[in-house]
Structures are given as C-alpha cells and as structure tokens.
Amino acid sequence: MERGRGRWVSSVSRGMLPLLGLHTVIEYSRLERKPPVTAALLAANTIIYLRPTFLHPILPTINQVWFNPHLILKYKDLRRFFLSAFYHLNEPHLFYNMLSLLWKGIQLETSMGSAEFSLTVATLVAMSQGVTILLAKSLLLLFDYERPYYQEYSVGFSGVLFAMKVILNAQSDEYTYVQGLLVPTRYAAWAELILIQMFVPGVSFLGHLGGILAGLLFLRLKALYSGANPLRTIVRGLNHALNWPLRFVKFLLGSQPRIGGRGSVGGRETRDTSQVWRCQTCTFDNSGWLSVCEMCGTGRTDDGPSSSSLSSTDEVQDLSLDELRRRRIQRFGR
C-alpha cells in the first residue's frame, strides 16, 4: 500500500501499462492451464485505475475509498475497507503490484485451484485490512500515535501481496535474494518489509505489516482447522449444481460408452488404472477418490483401486439401458 492524499492525478502517462499487458500475455501463453481468477484480478485493478468513461457513474473515486482507520471505524465505512485495496496512486504503483500479483497468483491458483484461490484472496483482503486497522487503533490507545498511523491515508493491493508471499514461502527451506540481500525464503517478506520502509518513501508500513500478519494468521487458522473448508464445499456444490444440466444433456444425447468423462460402463479402454475402481452393481469406472459410485450411488466394496477388474467382465450384472439411465438420473438428482 502507498500513503498520501491529494497526490493522485488522473492524467498520468500510460507507457508502462502496455508493457504490463505484454508481459501478462507472454506469461499466460506459456501456461497449459490459464488461471482465470488471477487474470480477473489483474483486469479489475487495471480497469479501476484507468476509470473508463462508462464506469464513472458506478465507480467511486479514489478520494471516496482511501483506506483510513479513523474514518472506517467512525463511520463504519465498508467501502473504504474493501475497495481501497483495488485502487492505486499512479502507474508505477499499479505496474509493480500487478507484476507481483501475476507471479504469486499463478503459483497459488495453480496449486489451490480457482475456487479455493478466490476464497483465499477474499479472506486475505479482509484479514489484511482488519489487522491494519487493529494495529493502528492499538498504537493510538497505547502510544497516542494518531497522525502517523490512525489518520493515515493509503491504497493498494500490496498488503494482500505480502500475505500471499508469506503463504507461498511458509514451507520453504531455501534461500532467496531480497534487494541483493540473501535471506531464508520463509523470512523474505519480513526482509522486504524492512528494506522497502528504509529505501522507498511514501509506503504504508502498517499496511505491509498487516499483510504479513494476515498471512501468518491465515496459515495458523488453516493448520488448526482440520475439517473440510465449508466455503470450499459451498463453491463446489454450486459448481456441481450449475453443471448438472450440461452433464444430463450429454448423458442423454451421447453415443459413446464413456459417461461423465471419468469412466465407462462395461468398457475396456487402456489407461492408467491405479486411480479408478469398478462398481460391482453397474460396472461404472469411478475415480479412486470416490467412496460411492457416481453412476448408481452404490457404496465402494473393495479395499482400494483394482486394475484386474477393469479388464474382466466376470460377475457383471445384466442391467438394461433404461435401468442405467434411471439410476444415473436418480444419482444426479440428489
């Protein structure tokens, strides 16, 4: 995040934005799978900075969304709390933040998956902003630091980027260079916080510190919470519900024996069998991660994936096509 009020101007040079776009295209062209959430975040931050004319009626100005702990707490201004992370003071501010987001976003989204990554970003925005407010309020109450921190104005995505850096480097045992200084990778965010504060004027110390602490808190909560992520379950449920009509139409109209893209009924295809198991009721080949048959809902009876059953039709029950369709419809309708 960068500090300052009244320093932002709308008529800025846009010479760096084409370079950002070119770099993004090159990086994405190298990827087999293009992370959509990272691309959406890059586009959102850039569009907000450019402020196209057709968005003027609905897009607040930067003066309306400055992150200011005093104003947020006094007026309970959630617009400042959330939107300030997506505004940038000038072109270099946007350029370097988006380059960092491109690199970190690709890694995290590829490893997490798009649904979990989007939830992680939303969580980190709220946590980094919240921790920053808590730090500013604590400094006011304990040391009477009102002007330096509690009344500070700042904007930018760098608090979230510091949190992402903490998450990426948490388990690393390697070393990395930070501005020419060799440090353990897991402590790179702390080294960058100190060096930026020393050599880059106008940055928000509390905003960056809040991001680091938010990343540590996120990792701590994730380690303590051993169950399935409820938000992830909700997203997957919505995705399953939205894709159900397409899967149902493909099932009714498809002429190939393969169903759902992960198995076949009575099929003999040659493929990696270490991650599939065959249902004893309908002969559907299911993913090894499933405990019930995706075709008919029958529970898994064997002790693990079986490769021999895939090439044999012994003990296959004779089920009519209508019966298989009925069970498939009943399974999807749950």
Side-chain angles (χ1 to χ4, degrees):
M1 302 177 79
E2 282 205 25
R3 294 180 299 158
R5 182 176 174 86
R7 298 192 305 165
W8 179 82
V9 291
S10 58
S11 57
V12 295
S13 170
R14 294 184 172 86
M16 301 179 75
L17 295 186
L19 181 60
L20 174 63
L22 177 61
H23 186 76
T24 302
V25 170
I26 293 175
E27 290 297 322
Y28 266 70
S29 65
R30 297 174 180 173
L31 300 174
E32 182 178 350
R33 177 182 176 274
K34 279 64 175 175
V37 178
T38 300
L41 287 172
L42 290 167
N45 280 272
T46 304
I47 290 174
I48 289 174
Y49 175 77
L50 293 176
R51 290 185 60 84
T53 304
F54 68 92
L55 289 180
H56 281 184
I58 60 174
L59 197 62
T61 66
I62 195 171
N63 289 326
Q64 295 173 313
V65 298
W66 284 105
F67 183 87
N68 180 279
H70 169 68
L71 295 177
I72 292 174
L73 293 178
K74 181 177 181 179
Y75 299 106
K76 298 179 174 56
D77 194 340
L78 295 180
R79 183 168 62 174
R80 291 181 183 272
F81 183 84
F82 288 106
L83 294 185
S84 58
F86 300 93
Y87 281 70
H88 292 82
L89 280 175
N90 48 45
E91 196 168 85
H93 187 204
L94 174 70
F95 179 78
Y96 291 112
N97 272 0
M98 292 304 99
L99 282 185
S100 180
L101 172 61
L102 177 65
W103 183 78
K104 296 178 177 68
I106 287 176
Q107 293 190 80
L108 286 174
E109 187 172 355
T110 302
S111 61
M112 292 181 174
S114 297
E116 184 174 355
F117 177 67
S118 62
L119 293 173
T120 298
V121 171
T123 302
L124 293 179
V125 170
M127 291 177 65
S128 62
Q129 304 286 69
V131 171
T132 302
I133 289 179
L134 181 62
L135 290 173
K137 187 67 174 180
S138 299
L139 289 174
L140 173 67
L141 296 177
L142 297 176
F143 303 103
D144 197 25
Y145 283 171
E146 179 175 1
R147 178 61 59 183
Y149 300 115
Y150 192 62
Q151 296 283 0
E152 180 180 276
Y153 290 86
S154 59
V155 288
F157 206 72
S158 51
V160 182
L161 295 174
F162 267 88
M164 289 183 179
K165 181 187 286 288
V166 171
I167 295 172
L168 274 173
N169 298 336
Q171 303 300 324
S172 177
D173 294 325
E174 300 178 353
Y175 286 78
T176 187
Y177 283 96
V178 178
Q179 302 297 324
L181 180 67
L182 185 64
V183 298
T185 301
R186 66 178 61 187
Y187 302 122
W190 291 102
E192 187 174 344
L193 170 69
I194 296 173
L195 292 174
I196 287 179
Q197 193 65 29
M198 291 173 59
F199 299 109
V200 181
V203 297
S204 173
F205 175 74
L206 281 194
H208 293 169
L209 178 60
I212 293 176
L213 296 179
L216 294 173
L217 179 61
F218 178 87
L219 291 174
R220 181 63 175 171
L221 293 176
K222 188 175 181 180
L224 292 176
Y225 188 71
S226 58
N229 190 327
L231 292 177
R232 189 191 313 173
T233 303
I234 293 173
V235 171
R236 288 180 176 176
L238 290 174
N239 182 66
H240 183 82
L242 292 174
N243 289 332
W244 178 85
L246 180 60
R247 293 197 302 270
F248 181 67
V249 170
K250 285 184 177 180
F251 167 73
L252 292 179
L253 301 180
S255 59
Q256 300 295 327
R258 177 177 290 273
I259 299 178
R262 285 187 288 188
S264 61
V265 178
R268 294 171 177 255
E269 294 184 67
T270 301
R271 60 186 179 278
D272 180 11
T273 61
S274 61
Q275 298 298 326
V276 294
W277 59 276
R278 170 162 291 183
C279 176
Q280 297 299 317
T281 301
C282 66
T283 74
F284 184 74
D285 297 341
N286 296 276
S287 168
W289 298 103
L290 297 177
S291 59
V292 295
C293 178
E294 190 179 10
M295 166 66 76
C296 63
T298 302
R300 184 174 180 176
T301 57
D302 59 347
D303 295 331
S306 172
S307 59
S308 60
S309 62
L310 295 177
S311 60
S312 173
T313 56
D314 296 338
E315 301 180 5
V316 174
Q317 299 183 11
D318 294 327
L319 296 176
S320 66
L321 183 58
D322 291 339
E323 176 65 14
L324 290 177
R325 286 179 175 173
R326 185 189 67 79
R327 293 193 179 193
R328 183 65 166 174
I329 293 172
Q330 181 181 9
R331 172 65 175 161
F332 278 132
R334 293 179 180 178

